[in-house]
Every structure is written in C-alpha cells, then in structure tokens.
Amino acid sequence: MNEPNFTAEHGFVYTLCRGLGLEASSEQLAKVLPIPKKADAVSAFFAAPDWEAVYRMAVEHRVVKVVWNGIQQLLTTREITNNQLPSNDLIRKWIDTAEHREQRYEQQIEVVRRLGTFYAKHNIRLMLLNGYGVSRCYPTPSARECGDVDIWLYGDQKVADELLKNARKIRIEQDPAGQTLFRMDPVLVENHHRLPEAEWLGVGCDCKADIDGVEVRLPDANLGLIYMLRHMALKFRRGVIRMRHVADWALYIRCHHAEIDWTRIEEGARKWGMTRFMVALNTFAGECLGLERKYLPAERLSERDLWAFVREVIHPRFPWKLQKDALWLARVGFGMCRYWANRWKQRFVSDKKCRRV
C-alpha cells in the first residue's frame, strides 16, 4: 500500500507564507511540521502539486486569498512554472471563493462605517477589536478573511444597544458571557460589555483611525496583542483555532514590533496564566511561518510541545461540528466528546497558577 502524501501540508504552509510576505524555508518546515520530517518535503510537493488538497486547507483555515496570492508570488519568483499551476477549473473556483470572501470584508467595513457614524452622533466611542485593525497588517488587507465584528464601547454598551434598538429597530440578543449580539445586513456584531485587558493596562491604550472619514478607535500594540492572546486561547481550547489566527499573530507583531513592550506582554500572560501558550504562538510564528526572531522574545517551546501545537492547528483532533438542529441529547453527547478530546488543551493553555478576572 502506498503511503499517504503528507507533503500537501508543507506545500500549503510554504505557499501561505509567501502570500503573507514571510520567508519560511523548506528546512524550517521540515523541522516543525509533524509529518513527514524530510528536508525535501516542499520540493516533493511542487514536483507533483496536489492543489486540490491545498485549496481545501485554505478554505478550512480561512486563508483562501492569501494562499492564492502566495501562488502568484511563487510564479513571479519562478519557484514554480505555469505547468505547475492548479487546473483551470480549480483556478476559477479559487478566484470565485476569494472574491466572495473579499466582498464580505467590504461588507464589514461598511457596517463599521455605519456604526461609527451612528455612535459618534450620540458621543459614544467605538473601539474595533481584531478584524479591521489586524487586516491593516496584511500585505493586502482585504485578503484577511473575517468572522464577526468585535467592538467595545468604553462602558456604554447598554446605552448604545438601546439606541440601536429604538432608532434602527435592530434585534439585540445577549450571550451567556454578557456580550450582546446583533446583525446589520449579513454581518454579526459582538458588543463586549467589558474589556479586562484595557482595564489592566489603564488609560491611553488606544489610538484613533479613520475609515472613509469616520473616526474609530483601535487598541494600541500592547492591548491588541494581549486581547489577541486571550481570544486565540479560547479558540484553541474549543478546537477552532486556524492558520489565519496564527498568521494574525505573526503579522501583527511584524507590523507593531517597535511599539510592543514584551515585558508588559509577558506580565499579562502570567496574569492570565497563558505564558506557555504565548511561547507556543511565538515559536510557531518564528520557526514555522518565518517571522524574524529579532521581533520575538528568546524563550522557545520544546520540540515535543511545538509538534503537538502545530499538529492541532493544522489538523484538529476533534474537527467535527454540531448541527444547528441537533437534539438535546445529541448536544450533551457532542459536548462530552469534544471536552474529552480537547482536555489536554486546558493544561497546555493554562499555567498552573492562573488568576481569573
């Protein structure tokens, strides 16, 4: 029986790095990616490229446009030839998917602009978390695929929700964590009632930004990184972290490295018990994605832990999703199975001494 062709993972990550403007080498990937541990794995992929597998991974990891840009970059630098490109059918599908994701980005920008205009009329400050602020760190901002819009209104959540509900007839829902959720067109907005990271860092942890003439606020470099750390830790625990999240981390550090106070970041990681997880992200960014090590602290994750982390990001142990109309008993069983499969992540993410907010 022939061995499975695991070189697709190497081809995917290598092409992704090119699309991000990062310079991971095939030798680096051979050391970091779990399988196969061969220095020529990237070359083996491009000798007989399985672009269908790469496309599926790009869709799963929400980096469709970035990987497509990476293919164009490989062609420009003559690392591949026209004969090594995807088939014409796959190219059309790839471009259609990328354009659809870019349209969603533009929809989000329009929603942010409308929200910013509305809140400004009522003297409510709007801070965007992740999303738009992180996209500005990408070579092509619209290539960063987005989910919902996360906002913080400096303690004016309840007032702002009432104004939206009364003036725009928007339905406001509340999740168990205390955030409120509402939709504008097809875009889901998550309004955070608290921002513990900002409370910890104190006054002056934001900066102004302009979106088509509408003033909004973004986290400063330290607040943005601490928020991203806690946000990604939650996704890792739930088994829904993807390469796009790790790419966010790497590009954000590259973009803001001169402003990041790593002493403060490490202090925050210790406060929330996430030092090991932060080191894992830094090691992944430096040794797998090719982020220059001069931008990162010296501490490195062990090879064994790094392999476990990389494998989980690329191929989660529990990839299944629950149907929205699932019965109560199915939901309970699903939750128990997911917890059991992901229980090791609780120890990986949380240090032994973890202070809660």
Short mmCIF file of all heavy atoms in Angstrom, two decimals, residues 62 105 108-109 112 127-138 141 144-152 190 192 195 197 209 211 216-235 244-249 252 256:
data_model
loop_
_atom_site.label_atom_id
_atom_site.label_comp_id
_atom_site.label_asym_id
_atom_site.label_seq_id
_atom_site.Cartn_x
_atom_site.Cartn_y
_atom_site.Cartn_z
N ARG A 62 -9.30 29.49 6.36
CA ARG A 62 -9.75 30.85 6.08
C ARG A 62 -8.62 31.75 5.60
O ARG A 62 -8.45 32.87 6.03
CB ARG A 62 -10.43 31.42 7.32
CG ARG A 62 -11.67 30.63 7.73
CD ARG A 62 -12.17 31.00 9.09
NE ARG A 62 -12.62 32.38 9.12
CZ ARG A 62 -12.97 33.03 10.24
NH1 ARG A 62 -12.90 32.40 11.40
NH2 ARG A 62 -13.38 34.26 10.19
N TYR A 105 -15.46 41.15 3.41
CA TYR A 105 -14.60 42.15 4.06
C TYR A 105 -15.14 43.55 3.81
O TYR A 105 -15.23 44.38 4.74
CB TYR A 105 -13.18 42.02 3.52
CG TYR A 105 -12.21 43.06 4.05
CD1 TYR A 105 -11.56 42.88 5.26
CD2 TYR A 105 -11.95 44.22 3.33
CE1 TYR A 105 -10.67 43.84 5.75
CE2 TYR A 105 -11.07 45.18 3.80
CZ TYR A 105 -10.43 44.98 5.01
OH TYR A 105 -9.55 45.94 5.48
N GLN A 108 -18.15 44.24 5.89
CA GLN A 108 -17.80 44.56 7.28
C GLN A 108 -17.32 46.00 7.41
O GLN A 108 -17.69 46.68 8.38
CB GLN A 108 -16.72 43.59 7.78
CG GLN A 108 -17.25 42.21 8.09
CD GLN A 108 -16.48 41.56 9.23
OE1 GLN A 108 -15.44 42.04 9.66
NE2 GLN A 108 -17.01 40.48 9.74
N ILE A 109 -16.52 46.46 6.47
CA ILE A 109 -16.05 47.84 6.52
C ILE A 109 -17.25 48.80 6.46
O ILE A 109 -17.30 49.81 7.19
CB ILE A 109 -15.08 48.12 5.35
CG1 ILE A 109 -13.80 47.29 5.51
CG2 ILE A 109 -14.76 49.60 5.27
CD1 ILE A 109 -13.02 47.60 6.75
N VAL A 112 -19.00 48.79 9.84
CA VAL A 112 -18.20 49.56 10.81
C VAL A 112 -18.37 51.05 10.58
O VAL A 112 -18.51 51.84 11.52
CB VAL A 112 -16.72 49.14 10.72
CG1 VAL A 112 -15.84 50.12 11.49
CG2 VAL A 112 -16.53 47.73 11.26
N MET A 127 -14.44 51.21 19.76
CA MET A 127 -13.16 50.55 19.54
C MET A 127 -13.41 49.23 18.80
O MET A 127 -14.27 48.45 19.18
CB MET A 127 -12.43 50.24 20.86
CG MET A 127 -11.09 49.50 20.62
SD MET A 127 -10.26 48.98 22.13
CE MET A 127 -9.59 50.55 22.70
N LEU A 128 -12.65 49.02 17.73
CA LEU A 128 -12.70 47.77 16.97
C LEU A 128 -11.64 46.83 17.51
O LEU A 128 -10.48 47.20 17.66
CB LEU A 128 -12.44 48.04 15.49
CG LEU A 128 -13.42 48.97 14.78
CD1 LEU A 128 -12.95 49.22 13.34
CD2 LEU A 128 -14.82 48.39 14.78
N LEU A 129 -12.04 45.60 17.80
CA LEU A 129 -11.13 44.59 18.32
C LEU A 129 -10.82 43.58 17.21
O LEU A 129 -11.73 43.08 16.55
CB LEU A 129 -11.76 43.88 19.52
CG LEU A 129 -12.22 44.80 20.65
CD1 LEU A 129 -13.04 44.02 21.67
CD2 LEU A 129 -11.02 45.47 21.32
N ASN A 130 -9.54 43.25 17.03
CA ASN A 130 -9.13 42.36 15.94
C ASN A 130 -9.62 42.91 14.61
O ASN A 130 -9.59 44.12 14.38
CB ASN A 130 -9.64 40.94 16.19
CG ASN A 130 -8.78 40.21 17.21
OD1 ASN A 130 -7.68 40.63 17.56
ND2 ASN A 130 -9.29 39.09 17.70
N GLY A 131 -10.10 42.04 13.73
CA GLY A 131 -10.72 42.48 12.49
C GLY A 131 -9.95 43.51 11.70
O GLY A 131 -8.85 43.27 11.23
N TYR A 132 -10.56 44.69 11.56
CA TYR A 132 -10.01 45.75 10.70
C TYR A 132 -8.59 46.14 11.11
O TYR A 132 -7.71 46.29 10.25
CB TYR A 132 -10.92 46.98 10.75
CG TYR A 132 -10.36 48.18 10.02
CD1 TYR A 132 -10.37 48.23 8.63
CD2 TYR A 132 -9.80 49.24 10.73
CE1 TYR A 132 -9.84 49.33 7.96
CE2 TYR A 132 -9.26 50.33 10.06
CZ TYR A 132 -9.29 50.38 8.68
OH TYR A 132 -8.76 51.45 8.02
N GLY A 133 -8.35 46.28 12.40
CA GLY A 133 -7.02 46.69 12.86
C GLY A 133 -5.95 45.68 12.47
O GLY A 133 -4.84 46.06 12.09
N VAL A 134 -6.27 44.40 12.56
CA VAL A 134 -5.31 43.36 12.19
C VAL A 134 -5.15 43.29 10.68
O VAL A 134 -4.05 43.06 10.17
CB VAL A 134 -5.75 42.00 12.76
CG1 VAL A 134 -4.77 40.90 12.35
CG2 VAL A 134 -5.85 42.05 14.28
N SER A 135 -6.23 43.50 9.94
CA SER A 135 -6.16 43.42 8.47
C SER A 135 -5.17 44.43 7.90
O SER A 135 -4.59 44.20 6.84
CB SER A 135 -7.55 43.62 7.85
OG SER A 135 -7.95 44.98 7.91
N ARG A 136 -4.98 45.54 8.59
CA ARG A 136 -4.04 46.57 8.10
C ARG A 136 -2.59 46.07 8.14
O ARG A 136 -1.71 46.68 7.53
CB ARG A 136 -4.17 47.83 8.94
CG ARG A 136 -5.57 48.43 8.92
CD ARG A 136 -5.60 49.89 9.32
NE ARG A 136 -4.93 50.16 10.58
CZ ARG A 136 -4.77 51.39 11.09
NH1 ARG A 136 -5.26 52.43 10.43
NH2 ARG A 136 -4.16 51.57 12.24
N CYS A 137 -2.35 44.96 8.85
CA CYS A 137 -1.00 44.39 8.92
C CYS A 137 -0.73 43.43 7.78
O CYS A 137 0.41 42.97 7.62
CB CYS A 137 -0.82 43.66 10.26
SG CYS A 137 -1.04 44.70 11.72
N TYR A 138 -1.75 43.09 6.99
CA TYR A 138 -1.59 42.16 5.88
C TYR A 138 -1.09 42.90 4.64
O TYR A 138 -1.42 44.08 4.45
CB TYR A 138 -2.92 41.49 5.56
CG TYR A 138 -3.25 40.29 6.41
CD1 TYR A 138 -3.45 40.41 7.78
CD2 TYR A 138 -3.34 39.02 5.86
CE1 TYR A 138 -3.75 39.31 8.57
CE2 TYR A 138 -3.63 37.91 6.63
CZ TYR A 138 -3.83 38.06 7.99
OH TYR A 138 -4.13 36.96 8.77
N PRO A 141 -4.95 44.02 2.76
CA PRO A 141 -5.89 43.95 3.89
C PRO A 141 -7.15 43.15 3.61
O PRO A 141 -7.60 42.38 4.48
CB PRO A 141 -6.22 45.43 4.15
CG PRO A 141 -5.00 46.16 3.71
CD PRO A 141 -4.50 45.41 2.51
N ARG A 144 -7.46 39.27 4.28
CA ARG A 144 -7.71 38.66 5.60
C ARG A 144 -9.20 38.36 5.74
O ARG A 144 -10.02 39.27 5.77
CB ARG A 144 -7.28 39.59 6.73
CG ARG A 144 -7.50 38.94 8.11
CD ARG A 144 -7.37 39.95 9.23
NE ARG A 144 -7.54 39.30 10.53
CZ ARG A 144 -8.72 39.19 11.14
NH1 ARG A 144 -9.82 39.65 10.58
NH2 ARG A 144 -8.80 38.58 12.31
N GLU A 145 -9.52 37.09 5.85
CA GLU A 145 -10.92 36.71 5.98
C GLU A 145 -11.41 37.05 7.39
O GLU A 145 -10.68 36.93 8.37
CB GLU A 145 -11.09 35.21 5.71
CG GLU A 145 -10.76 34.86 4.27
CD GLU A 145 -11.03 33.41 3.95
OE1 GLU A 145 -11.90 32.79 4.60
OE2 GLU A 145 -10.37 32.88 3.04
N CYS A 146 -12.65 37.47 7.46
CA CYS A 146 -13.19 37.96 8.72
C CYS A 146 -14.37 37.12 9.17
O CYS A 146 -15.04 36.47 8.37
CB CYS A 146 -13.62 39.42 8.58
SG CYS A 146 -14.57 39.73 7.09
N GLY A 147 -14.62 37.15 10.46
CA GLY A 147 -15.78 36.49 11.03
C GLY A 147 -16.81 37.54 11.40
O GLY A 147 -17.34 38.25 10.55
N ASP A 148 -17.05 37.68 12.70
CA ASP A 148 -17.95 38.75 13.14
C ASP A 148 -17.14 40.00 13.46
O ASP A 148 -15.91 40.01 13.40
CB ASP A 148 -18.77 38.30 14.35
CG ASP A 148 -17.89 37.77 15.49
OD1 ASP A 148 -16.66 37.91 15.39
OD2 ASP A 148 -18.44 37.24 16.46
N VAL A 149 -17.85 41.08 13.78
CA VAL A 149 -17.20 42.34 14.14
C VAL A 149 -17.24 42.46 15.66
O VAL A 149 -18.32 42.48 16.26
CB VAL A 149 -17.92 43.54 13.51
CG1 VAL A 149 -17.33 44.85 14.01
CG2 VAL A 149 -17.83 43.48 11.99
N ASP A 150 -16.08 42.50 16.29
CA ASP A 150 -15.99 42.65 17.75
C ASP A 150 -15.74 44.11 18.08
O ASP A 150 -14.81 44.73 17.56
CB ASP A 150 -14.84 41.80 18.30
CG ASP A 150 -15.14 40.31 18.22
OD1 ASP A 150 -15.72 39.78 19.18
OD2 ASP A 150 -14.80 39.69 17.19
N ILE A 151 -16.60 44.65 18.98
CA ILE A 151 -16.46 46.06 19.35
C ILE A 151 -16.52 46.21 20.87
O ILE A 151 -17.02 45.34 21.58
CB ILE A 151 -17.57 46.93 18.70
CG1 ILE A 151 -18.96 46.51 19.23
CG2 ILE A 151 -17.52 46.83 17.19
CD1 ILE A 151 -20.09 47.42 18.76
N TRP A 152 -15.98 47.32 21.33
CA TRP A 152 -16.08 47.70 22.73
C TRP A 152 -16.40 49.20 22.77
O TRP A 152 -15.81 49.98 22.03
CB TRP A 152 -14.77 47.42 23.48
CG TRP A 152 -14.80 47.79 24.93
CD1 TRP A 152 -15.71 47.38 25.88
CD2 TRP A 152 -13.87 48.64 25.62
NE1 TRP A 152 -15.41 47.92 27.10
CE2 TRP A 152 -14.29 48.70 26.98
CE3 TRP A 152 -12.74 49.35 25.23
CZ2 TRP A 152 -13.61 49.45 27.93
CZ3 TRP A 152 -12.06 50.10 26.17
CH2 TRP A 152 -12.49 50.14 27.51
N GLU A 190 -20.54 41.67 17.67
CA GLU A 190 -20.45 41.25 19.07
C GLU A 190 -19.96 42.44 19.89
O GLU A 190 -18.84 42.92 19.71
CB GLU A 190 -19.50 40.07 19.23
CG GLU A 190 -19.43 39.54 20.66
CD GLU A 190 -18.59 38.28 20.77
OE1 GLU A 190 -18.27 37.68 19.73
OE2 GLU A 190 -18.26 37.90 21.92
N HIS A 192 -18.83 43.85 23.29
CA HIS A 192 -18.27 43.39 24.56
C HIS A 192 -18.63 44.37 25.68
O HIS A 192 -18.42 45.58 25.56
CB HIS A 192 -16.75 43.29 24.46
CG HIS A 192 -16.30 42.20 23.54
ND1 HIS A 192 -15.65 41.07 23.96
CD2 HIS A 192 -16.42 42.07 22.19
CE1 HIS A 192 -15.37 40.30 22.93
NE2 HIS A 192 -15.83 40.89 21.84
N LEU A 195 -13.77 44.92 28.85
CA LEU A 195 -12.52 44.60 28.20
C LEU A 195 -11.45 44.55 29.30
O LEU A 195 -10.78 45.54 29.58
CB LEU A 195 -12.17 45.66 27.15
CG LEU A 195 -11.12 45.25 26.11
CD1 LEU A 195 -11.59 44.03 25.32
CD2 LEU A 195 -10.81 46.40 25.16
N GLU A 197 -8.56 43.42 29.51
CA GLU A 197 -7.20 43.78 29.12
C GLU A 197 -7.00 45.29 29.18
O GLU A 197 -5.94 45.77 29.61
CB GLU A 197 -6.92 43.27 27.70
CG GLU A 197 -7.07 41.77 27.53
CD GLU A 197 -8.49 41.33 27.20
OE1 GLU A 197 -9.42 42.17 27.33
OE2 GLU A 197 -8.68 40.17 26.82
N ALA A 209 -8.28 55.94 14.38
CA ALA A 209 -8.14 55.51 12.99
C ALA A 209 -9.31 56.10 12.21
O ALA A 209 -10.37 56.39 12.76
CB ALA A 209 -8.14 53.98 12.90
N ILE A 211 -11.84 55.58 8.90
CA ILE A 211 -12.38 54.68 7.88
C ILE A 211 -13.35 55.49 7.02
O ILE A 211 -14.47 55.77 7.43
CB ILE A 211 -13.11 53.49 8.51
CG1 ILE A 211 -12.17 52.70 9.43
CG2 ILE A 211 -13.66 52.57 7.42
CD1 ILE A 211 -12.83 51.52 10.11
N VAL A 216 -12.82 56.00 14.28
CA VAL A 216 -13.00 54.89 15.22
C VAL A 216 -11.71 54.79 16.03
O VAL A 216 -10.74 55.52 15.78
CB VAL A 216 -13.28 53.56 14.49
CG1 VAL A 216 -14.56 53.65 13.69
CG2 VAL A 216 -12.10 53.18 13.59
N ARG A 217 -11.70 53.89 16.98
CA ARG A 217 -10.51 53.67 17.79
C ARG A 217 -10.05 52.22 17.66
O ARG A 217 -10.88 51.31 17.51
CB ARG A 217 -10.76 54.03 19.26
CG ARG A 217 -11.00 55.53 19.46
CD ARG A 217 -11.39 55.88 20.88
NE ARG A 217 -11.69 57.29 21.00
CZ ARG A 217 -10.81 58.23 21.35
NH1 ARG A 217 -9.56 57.89 21.61
NH2 ARG A 217 -11.16 59.49 21.43
N LEU A 218 -8.76 52.05 17.72
CA LEU A 218 -8.15 50.72 17.68
C LEU A 218 -7.32 50.53 18.94
O LEU A 218 -6.84 51.51 19.53
CB LEU A 218 -7.26 50.58 16.45
CG LEU A 218 -7.92 50.75 15.07
CD1 LEU A 218 -6.86 50.70 13.98
CD2 LEU A 218 -8.98 49.69 14.85
N PRO A 219 -7.12 49.29 19.38
CA PRO A 219 -6.22 49.06 20.51
C PRO A 219 -4.79 49.47 20.14
O PRO A 219 -4.40 49.38 18.97
CB PRO A 219 -6.30 47.54 20.72
CG PRO A 219 -7.50 47.08 19.96
CD PRO A 219 -7.68 48.05 18.84
N ASP A 220 -4.03 49.93 21.12
CA ASP A 220 -2.62 50.14 20.84
C ASP A 220 -1.94 48.77 20.73
O ASP A 220 -2.58 47.73 20.88
CB ASP A 220 -1.97 51.04 21.88
CG ASP A 220 -1.82 50.39 23.26
OD1 ASP A 220 -2.18 49.20 23.41
OD2 ASP A 220 -1.34 51.06 24.19
N ALA A 221 -0.66 48.76 20.45
CA ALA A 221 0.03 47.50 20.15
C ALA A 221 -0.05 46.50 21.30
O ALA A 221 -0.28 45.30 21.09
CB ALA A 221 1.49 47.78 19.82
N ASN A 222 0.10 46.97 22.55
CA ASN A 222 0.08 46.07 23.70
C ASN A 222 -1.32 45.51 23.97
O ASN A 222 -1.49 44.32 24.19
CB ASN A 222 0.62 46.77 24.94
CG ASN A 222 2.10 47.07 24.83
OD1 ASN A 222 2.86 46.31 24.24
ND2 ASN A 222 2.52 48.21 25.36
N LEU A 223 -2.31 46.39 23.93
CA LEU A 223 -3.68 45.94 24.16
C LEU A 223 -4.11 44.97 23.05
O LEU A 223 -4.73 43.94 23.31
CB LEU A 223 -4.63 47.13 24.21
CG LEU A 223 -6.13 46.80 24.33
CD1 LEU A 223 -6.42 45.93 25.55
CD2 LEU A 223 -6.97 48.07 24.36
N GLY A 224 -3.77 45.31 21.80
CA GLY A 224 -4.14 44.44 20.69
C GLY A 224 -3.55 43.05 20.82
O GLY A 224 -4.23 42.05 20.56
N LEU A 225 -2.29 42.96 21.26
CA LEU A 225 -1.63 41.67 21.36
C LEU A 225 -2.16 40.86 22.54
O LEU A 225 -2.37 39.65 22.43
CB LEU A 225 -0.12 41.86 21.48
CG LEU A 225 0.75 40.66 21.06
CD1 LEU A 225 0.52 40.30 19.61
CD2 LEU A 225 2.22 40.94 21.31
N ILE A 226 -2.39 41.51 23.68
CA ILE A 226 -2.93 40.81 24.84
C ILE A 226 -4.35 40.31 24.55
O ILE A 226 -4.71 39.18 24.88
CB ILE A 226 -2.93 41.74 26.07
CG1 ILE A 226 -1.51 41.88 26.63
CG2 ILE A 226 -3.85 41.20 27.17
CD1 ILE A 226 -0.99 40.64 27.33
N TYR A 227 -5.15 41.16 23.91
CA TYR A 227 -6.51 40.74 23.56
C TYR A 227 -6.47 39.54 22.61
O TYR A 227 -7.21 38.57 22.75
CB TYR A 227 -7.29 41.89 22.93
CG TYR A 227 -8.67 41.47 22.47
CD1 TYR A 227 -9.73 41.39 23.36
CD2 TYR A 227 -8.89 41.11 21.14
CE1 TYR A 227 -10.98 40.97 22.95
CE2 TYR A 227 -10.15 40.69 20.72
CZ TYR A 227 -11.19 40.63 21.63
OH TYR A 227 -12.42 40.20 21.20
N MET A 228 -5.58 39.62 21.61
CA MET A 228 -5.46 38.54 20.65
C MET A 228 -5.04 37.24 21.33
O MET A 228 -5.54 36.16 21.02
CB MET A 228 -4.43 38.93 19.58
CG MET A 228 -4.53 38.11 18.30
SD MET A 228 -3.24 38.57 17.09
CE MET A 228 -3.62 40.31 16.87
N LEU A 229 -4.13 37.34 22.30
CA LEU A 229 -3.66 36.16 23.03
C LEU A 229 -4.81 35.46 23.73
O LEU A 229 -4.99 34.24 23.60
CB LEU A 229 -2.58 36.58 24.04
CG LEU A 229 -2.06 35.47 24.96
CD1 LEU A 229 -1.27 34.44 24.17
CD2 LEU A 229 -1.19 36.07 26.07
N ARG A 230 -5.62 36.20 24.47
CA ARG A 230 -6.73 35.60 25.21
C ARG A 230 -7.81 35.09 24.26
O ARG A 230 -8.42 34.04 24.50
CB ARG A 230 -7.31 36.61 26.19
CG ARG A 230 -6.31 37.08 27.24
CD ARG A 230 -6.99 37.91 28.32
NE ARG A 230 -7.84 37.09 29.14
CZ ARG A 230 -8.95 37.51 29.74
NH1 ARG A 230 -9.37 38.75 29.55
NH2 ARG A 230 -9.67 36.70 30.49
N HIS A 231 -8.05 35.82 23.19
CA HIS A 231 -9.06 35.42 22.21
C HIS A 231 -8.65 34.11 21.52
O HIS A 231 -9.47 33.19 21.36
CB HIS A 231 -9.19 36.54 21.17
CG HIS A 231 -10.27 36.33 20.17
ND1 HIS A 231 -11.60 36.41 20.48
CD2 HIS A 231 -10.21 36.04 18.83
CE1 HIS A 231 -12.33 36.18 19.39
NE2 HIS A 231 -11.50 35.95 18.38
N MET A 232 -7.37 33.99 21.16
CA MET A 232 -6.89 32.79 20.49
C MET A 232 -6.82 31.61 21.44
O MET A 232 -7.05 30.46 21.02
CB MET A 232 -5.53 33.07 19.86
CG MET A 232 -5.59 34.02 18.68
SD MET A 232 -3.97 34.54 18.09
CE MET A 232 -3.25 32.99 17.60
N ALA A 233 -6.53 31.86 22.70
CA ALA A 233 -6.50 30.76 23.68
C ALA A 233 -7.88 30.11 23.80
O ALA A 233 -8.00 28.89 23.89
CB ALA A 233 -6.04 31.28 25.03
N LEU A 234 -8.91 30.93 23.79
CA LEU A 234 -10.28 30.40 23.85
C LEU A 234 -10.58 29.55 22.62
O LEU A 234 -11.17 28.47 22.73
CB LEU A 234 -11.26 31.56 23.96
CG LEU A 234 -12.75 31.19 24.07
CD1 LEU A 234 -13.01 30.35 25.31
CD2 LEU A 234 -13.61 32.45 24.07
N LYS A 235 -10.17 30.02 21.46
CA LYS A 235 -10.41 29.25 20.24
C LYS A 235 -9.60 27.96 20.22
O LYS A 235 -10.08 26.93 19.74
CB LYS A 235 -10.06 30.11 19.01
CG LYS A 235 -11.06 31.24 18.78
CD LYS A 235 -10.83 31.93 17.47
CE LYS A 235 -11.91 32.98 17.21
NZ LYS A 235 -13.25 32.39 17.05
N ARG A 244 -5.21 31.10 10.00
CA ARG A 244 -5.43 32.53 9.89
C ARG A 244 -5.17 33.22 11.22
O ARG A 244 -4.65 34.34 11.26
CB ARG A 244 -6.85 32.83 9.42
CG ARG A 244 -7.03 34.27 8.93
CD ARG A 244 -8.35 34.86 9.35
NE ARG A 244 -8.39 35.09 10.77
CZ ARG A 244 -9.50 35.37 11.45
NH1 ARG A 244 -10.65 35.43 10.82
NH2 ARG A 244 -9.47 35.57 12.75
N HIS A 245 -5.52 32.58 12.32
CA HIS A 245 -5.29 33.19 13.63
C HIS A 245 -3.78 33.31 13.91
O HIS A 245 -3.31 34.33 14.42
CB HIS A 245 -5.97 32.37 14.72
CG HIS A 245 -7.45 32.27 14.57
ND1 HIS A 245 -8.08 31.15 14.11
CD2 HIS A 245 -8.43 33.19 14.79
CE1 HIS A 245 -9.39 31.35 14.07
NE2 HIS A 245 -9.62 32.59 14.47
N VAL A 246 -3.03 32.26 13.59
CA VAL A 246 -1.58 32.30 13.80
C VAL A 246 -0.94 33.33 12.87
O VAL A 246 0.00 34.02 13.25
CB VAL A 246 -0.97 30.90 13.60
CG1 VAL A 246 0.52 30.93 13.91
CG2 VAL A 246 -1.66 29.87 14.48
N ALA A 247 -1.48 33.42 11.64
CA ALA A 247 -0.98 34.45 10.71
C ALA A 247 -1.24 35.84 11.26
O ALA A 247 -0.39 36.73 11.16
CB ALA A 247 -1.65 34.28 9.34
N ASP A 248 -2.42 36.04 11.87
CA ASP A 248 -2.72 37.33 12.51
C ASP A 248 -1.65 37.69 13.53
O ASP A 248 -1.15 38.82 13.57
CB ASP A 248 -4.07 37.25 13.23
CG ASP A 248 -5.26 37.35 12.29
OD1 ASP A 248 -5.07 37.59 11.09
OD2 ASP A 248 -6.40 37.17 12.77
N TRP A 249 -1.32 36.71 14.36
CA TRP A 249 -0.34 36.92 15.44
C TRP A 249 1.02 37.33 14.84
O TRP A 249 1.63 38.32 15.28
CB TRP A 249 -0.20 35.65 16.26
CG TRP A 249 0.75 35.71 17.41
CD1 TRP A 249 2.06 35.33 17.41
CD2 TRP A 249 0.48 36.17 18.74
NE1 TRP A 249 2.62 35.51 18.65
CE2 TRP A 249 1.66 36.03 19.49
CE3 TRP A 249 -0.66 36.68 19.37
CZ2 TRP A 249 1.75 36.39 20.83
CZ3 TRP A 249 -0.57 37.04 20.71
CH2 TRP A 249 0.62 36.90 21.43
N TYR A 252 0.83 40.83 13.03
CA TYR A 252 0.62 41.92 13.98
C TYR A 252 1.94 42.29 14.67
O TYR A 252 2.26 43.46 14.86
CB TYR A 252 -0.43 41.52 15.01
CG TYR A 252 -0.96 42.67 15.83
CD1 TYR A 252 -2.01 43.47 15.36
CD2 TYR A 252 -0.43 42.97 17.08
CE1 TYR A 252 -2.50 44.52 16.11
CE2 TYR A 252 -0.91 44.03 17.84
CZ TYR A 252 -1.95 44.79 17.35
OH TYR A 252 -2.43 45.85 18.10
N HIS A 256 3.88 45.86 14.34
CA HIS A 256 3.94 46.73 15.53
C HIS A 256 5.14 46.43 16.43
O HIS A 256 5.12 46.82 17.61
CB HIS A 256 2.65 46.58 16.34
CG HIS A 256 1.41 47.03 15.62
ND1 HIS A 256 1.11 48.34 15.42
CD2 HIS A 256 0.40 46.31 15.04
CE1 HIS A 256 -0.04 48.45 14.77
NE2 HIS A 256 -0.49 47.24 14.51
#
